[in-house]
């Protein structure tokens, strides 16, 4: 029988980190991670830009800032112990228009409230000293920001977990979760698993898991595809490290920006385009049931009423390289269309509630037997070990 102390649904970086932290507390517990794909970290964990976030963007007192600040330190320690390459290169956030200046100050104040040190306002001249090809009215330098390959982090976590006896079972898509005789029963298309507790880290399908647990969900995952261009080799000199615009405070996305990756590429993006398939990495990806799941939801209707102009523009920019370059020119005026080529894409799992609010913090749902990670977009990768530790503490209070 597939009988364990804990079953974890999802072998992304959050699921793997949770197993890692559970074993730190008790190395003898039996853990099984079940994953619907044929490899680990197939979605958000393996399709992000690899930024180690500082915590500057998040509201003081939020779960995001608490886990980001703590998780940042834990992640760097993990990378040091396991010889995973990373770099603390810093970034600049640039106000390109007068209307950005108030929001820039809010970010600076948040940085201080969140305990970040070394953050400083920079002038137009200082922007050019840090990023010679960038231009703006004013900016903030964030020295804590770094870069890493989260796929390598996930692979190392997986390797260590297997060495410690954790079973990772692939091609196991969950279809039903029940509580029977004081234990959890997780059914997949191929198997049945039993455990004292279940942790669901299902990302894009966290709302589907919530319905299995409660019979309903108070939120819906709205998938947004983020598309990247990358700078051609002979244009990489235009960017030294990371260059960001001031984000729209009403929209939980950071705007297109430039990111140097740990392997030396320069990514430009991402945008945030509604996709009609949860794992819709291509522009023409479509799945009827998942499209209806989004389009029929009253919360989506309310969100669309608020953000329709932004949504239409994102679609337009997605299909116009010229418009994408126009956005990039706000940060680096000398960049040209011929400097960039198509890169990869990712899909952000963004929770939306019935009031049309795009949830701006991590969200967890729990009962006696199950913890469901409902909303964990960026900075979840930076925060992964802190989130894992938080979940492990909850599990041990209830069951061990």
């Amino acid at each position: 029988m597939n009988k364990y102390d804990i079953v974890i649904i999802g072998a992304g970086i959050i699921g793997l980190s949770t197993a890692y932290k559970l074993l730190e507390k008790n190395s003898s517990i039996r853990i099984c991670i079940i994953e619907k794909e044929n490899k680990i970290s197939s979605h958000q964990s393996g399709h992000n830009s690899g930024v180690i976030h500082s915590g500057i963007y998040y509201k003081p007192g939020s779960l995001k800032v608490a886990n980001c600040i703590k998780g940042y330190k834990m992640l760097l320690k993990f990378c040091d112990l396991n010889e995973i390459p990373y770099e603390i290169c810093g970034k600049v956030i640039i106000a390109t228009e007068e209307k950005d200046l108030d929001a820039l100050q809010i970010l600076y104040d948040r940085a201080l409230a969140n305990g970040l040190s070394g953050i400083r306002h920079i002038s137009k001249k200082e922007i050019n000293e840090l990023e010679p090809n960038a231009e703006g009215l004013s900016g903030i330098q964030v020295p804590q920001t770094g870069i890493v390959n989260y796929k390598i982090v996930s692979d190392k976590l997986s390797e260590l977990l297997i060495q410690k006896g954790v079973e990772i079972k692939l091609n196991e898509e969950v279809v039903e979760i029940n509580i029977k005789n004081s234990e959890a029963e997780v059914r997949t298309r191929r198997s049945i698993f039993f455990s004292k507790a279940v942790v669901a880290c299902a990302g894009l399908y966290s709302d589907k898991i919530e319905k299995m647990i409660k019979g309903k969900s108070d939120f819906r995952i709205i998938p947004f595809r983020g598309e990247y261009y990358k700078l051609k080799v002979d244009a990489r000199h235009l960017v030294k490290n990371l260059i960001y615009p001031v984000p729209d405070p009403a929209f939980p996305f950071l705007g297109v920006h430039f990111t140097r990756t740990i392997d030396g590429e320069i990514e430009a993006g991402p945008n945030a385009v509604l996709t009609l398939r949860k794992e819709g990495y291509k522009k023409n990806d479509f799945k009827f049931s998942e499209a209806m799941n989004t389009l029929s939801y009253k919360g989506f209707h309310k969100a669309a009423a608020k953000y329709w102009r932004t949504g239409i523009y994102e679609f337009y920019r997605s299909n116009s390289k010229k418009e994408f370059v126009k956005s990039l020119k706000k940060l680096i005026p000398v960049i040209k269309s011929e400097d960039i080529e198509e890169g990869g894409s990712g899909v952000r799992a963004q929770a939306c509630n019935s009031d049309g609010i795009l949830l701006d913090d991590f969200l967890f749902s729990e009962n006696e037997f199950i913890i469901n990670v409902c909303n964990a977009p960026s900075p979840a990768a930076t925060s992964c070990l802190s989130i894992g530790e938080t979940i492990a503490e909850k599990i041990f209070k209830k069951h061990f």
Side-chain angles (χ1 to χ4, degrees):
M1 289 181 65
N2 292 321
K3 199 173 182 71
Y4 302 90
D5 292 311
I6 299 166
V7 166
I8 296 174
I9 300 169
I13 200 167
I14 301 290
L16 296 168
S17 296
T18 298
Y20 183 79
K21 286 297 178 179
L22 284 163
L23 287 178
E24 276 192 348
K25 289 186 169 293
N26 184 341
S27 60
S28 66
I29 58 176
R30 294 194 67 218
I31 300 174
C32 181
I33 303 175
I34 55 178
E35 167 59 50
K36 74 178 179 68
E37 304 295 349
N38 61 8
K39 61 182 180 179
I40 67 167
S41 298
S42 295
H43 296 294
Q44 291 183 109
S45 303
H47 287 81
N48 62 64
S49 60
V51 175
I52 304 173
H53 286 284
S54 65
I56 188 172
Y57 294 109
Y58 318 118
K59 292 178 182 178
S62 66
L63 291 173
K64 274 190 176 183
V65 75
N67 284 282
C68 185
I69 299 293
K70 183 179 177 183
Y72 176 98
K73 297 173 183 176
M74 297 168 80
L75 176 64
L76 299 193
K77 182 178 179 181
F78 181 84
C79 289
D80 287 335
L81 286 172
N82 293 285
E83 299 181 339
I84 296 172
Y86 70 93
E87 184 180 343
I88 304 303
C89 56
K91 75 174 176 184
V92 293
I93 303 171
I94 298 175
T96 60
E97 301 178 54
E98 289 283 345
K99 67 180 179 63
D100 297 329
L101 294 175
D102 287 345
L104 187 73
Q105 183 61 43
I106 290 171
L107 284 181
Y108 182 80
D109 293 340
R110 279 189 179 180
L112 298 183
N114 293 341
L116 300 183
S117 60
I119 307 290
R120 67 186 185 102
H121 282 294
I122 51 176
S123 65
K124 183 175 183 177
K125 179 183 176 182
E126 289 170 314
I127 290 172
N128 290 141
E129 289 171 355
L130 292 166
E131 292 287 350
N133 296 292
E135 287 192 15
L137 302 177
S138 181
I140 296 173
Q141 183 188 18
V142 187
Q144 290 90 344
T145 303
I147 50 176
V148 72
N149 186 327
Y150 285 111
K151 187 66 172 64
I152 294 175
V153 175
S154 295
D155 288 343
K156 176 54 70 171
L157 283 166
S158 174
E159 176 189 326
L160 294 172
L161 292 172
I162 291 170
Q163 288 174 4
K164 294 178 180 181
V166 173
E167 296 181 41
I168 300 178
K169 301 204 173 192
L170 305 174
N171 301 302
E172 296 281 4
E173 182 179 353
V174 175
V175 296
E176 189 177 346
I177 302 172
N178 300 299
I179 304 301
K180 293 183 177 180
N181 301 320
S182 296
E183 68 178 357
E185 175 193 85
V186 180
R187 291 178 174 264
T188 71
R189 297 192 184 279
R190 307 194 314 178
S191 313
I192 305 175
F193 300 87
F194 300 93
S195 64
K196 296 177 184 176
V198 173
V199 179
C201 306
L204 287 155
Y205 292 95
S206 65
D207 53 351
K208 188 175 181 180
I209 294 293
E210 188 76 353
K211 286 183 180 179
M212 292 181 196
I213 297 167
K214 295 184 175 179
K216 64 175 184 177
S217 176
D218 298 327
F219 65 95
R220 195 73 55 91
I221 292 295
I222 308 297
F224 288 91
R225 184 175 59 254
E227 300 157 339
Y228 288 90
Y229 283 89
K230 59 183 180 181
L231 272 63
K232 295 178 181 177
V233 174
D234 58 1
R236 289 179 183 173
H237 68 278
L238 295 175
V239 178
K240 293 180 69 176
N241 290 303
L242 284 71
I243 308 171
Y244 281 63
V246 177
D248 180 348
F251 204 54
F253 301 93
L254 299 181
V256 294
H257 50 269
F258 294 93
T259 306
R260 178 167 64 85
T261 66
I262 198 68
D263 60 2
E265 289 194 336
I266 306 292
E267 293 183 332
N271 50 14
V273 185
L274 177 71
T275 175
L276 298 178
R277 180 172 185 164
K278 286 198 173 184
E279 293 162 2
Y281 297 102
K282 298 177 182 178
K283 292 180 181 180
N284 61 350
D285 279 345
F286 177 82
K287 188 173 182 178
F288 180 79
S289 61
E290 293 180 353
M292 291 307 298
N293 185 61
T294 294
L295 299 176
S296 65
Y297 182 49
K298 66 178 181 180
F300 170 74
H301 300 161
K302 293 178 181 179
K306 287 188 285 186
Y307 301 120
W308 67 271
R309 288 185 179 86
T310 301
I312 290 173
Y313 176 69
E314 292 288 342
F315 271 113
Y316 170 61
R317 185 169 60 181
S318 171
N319 291 285
S320 170
K321 185 178 181 181
K322 181 180 178 181
E323 190 64 27
F324 206 105
V325 172
K326 184 179 176 182
S327 295
L328 298 176
K329 278 181 172 289
K330 292 180 180 180
L331 295 170
I332 297 183
V334 297
I335 198 166
K336 304 183 295 294
S337 181
E338 53 265 35
D339 291 328
I340 64 173
E341 58 189 358
E342 285 193 16
S345 66
V347 179
R348 175 186 175 120
Q350 176 61 57
C352 175
N353 68 18
S354 59
D355 293 325
I357 296 171
L358 301 179
L359 303 185
D360 195 32
D361 203 2
F362 296 152
L363 176 66
F364 304 87
S365 172
E366 59 185 289
N367 62 29
E368 184 182 351
F369 296 95
I370 304 169
I371 296 175
N372 184 20
V373 182
C374 300
N375 191 52
S378 181
T382 303
S383 310
C384 62
L385 290 165
S386 177
I387 293 171
E389 185 171 83
T390 299
I391 293 170
E393 288 170 354
K394 290 175 180 289
I395 293 289
F396 270 79
K397 281 182 181 178
K398 292 178 180 179
H399 298 281
F400 300 99

